[in-house]
């Protein structure tokens, strides 16, 4: 009987989940700019975020967008992922709980997209790979 749980088997790869962070400056228009990625790997107890805000693209959608506010929101997401003091009230939560909190829908400018899955041997490298592939 084979065990197909999140143990990685012979490949050393483990299941991970990820979601894009999108900046939606004007909800009524439905336009967005990808600005980050969240990655969670249960096996490694890892949650991480990478962000990159292309201000010129965002300003093309809304010249009046609060860039400082968007940057602060993205930094806050990174802080929650990092844990410790930077995570605020989520500091004592495990990685999975912090990830689930971050992907919960909110009615803010910075919104998480749908959750996707994959396999990885290095969740931190996956953050960088997905950021380059989907955001930059």
């Amino acid at each position: 009987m084979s065990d197909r749980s999140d143990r990685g088997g012979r490949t050393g790869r483990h299941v991970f989940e990820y979601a894009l962070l999108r900046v939606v400056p004007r909800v009524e228009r439905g336009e967005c700019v990808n600005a980050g990625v969240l990655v969670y790997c249960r096996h490694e107890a890892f949650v991480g975020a990478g962000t990159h805000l292309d201000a010129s693209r965002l300003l093309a959608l809304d010249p009046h967008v609060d860039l400082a506010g968007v940057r602060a929101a993205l930094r806050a997401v990174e802080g929650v992922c990092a844990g410790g003091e930077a995570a605020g009230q989520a500091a004592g939560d495990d990685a999975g709980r912090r990830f689930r909190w971050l992907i919960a829908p909110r009615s803010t400018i910075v919104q998480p997209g749908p959750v996707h899955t994959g396999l990885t041997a290095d969740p931190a490298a996956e953050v960088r790979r997905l950021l380059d592939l989907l955001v930059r």
Side-chain angles (χ1 to χ4, degrees):
M1 178 165 154
S2 71
D3 181 2
R4 293 181 172 246
S5 67
D6 190 25
R7 295 186 187 178
R10 287 180 248 164
T11 66
R13 297 188 314 162
H14 306 285
V15 173
F16 76 96
E17 299 173 67
Y18 73 94
L20 282 171
L21 292 174
R22 299 171 176 161
V23 180
V24 185
R26 294 177 58 192
V27 174
E28 68 277 9
R29 292 186 59 136
E31 299 167 328
C32 66
V33 172
N34 292 344
V37 64
L38 298 165
V39 171
Y40 168 59
C41 179
R42 179 177 167 222
H43 184 272
E44 300 293 324
F46 174 88
V47 63
T51 63
H52 172 80
L53 183 61
D54 186 332
S56 62
R57 289 181 67 202
L58 188 55
L59 288 168
L61 295 180
D62 182 356
H64 306 291
V65 69
D66 178 7
L67 285 175
V70 171
R71 286 186 177 113
L74 293 171
R75 279 193 308 274
V77 168
E78 290 175 331
V80 170
C81 287
E85 256 183 60
Q89 290 180 330
D93 291 342
D94 64 33
R97 188 171 172 101
R98 291 194 317 270
F99 178 74
R100 299 285 175 240
W101 185 80
L102 289 167
I103 62 168
R106 291 176 180 75
S107 59
T108 62
I109 289 178
V110 177
Q111 300 178 359
V115 175
H116 306 280
T117 61
L119 293 172
T120 188
D122 184 350
E126 207 61 49
V127 172
R128 294 185 298 275
R129 184 185 77 81
L130 290 170
L131 190 65
D132 288 341
L133 179 68
L134 303 172
V135 177
R136 290 193 174 132

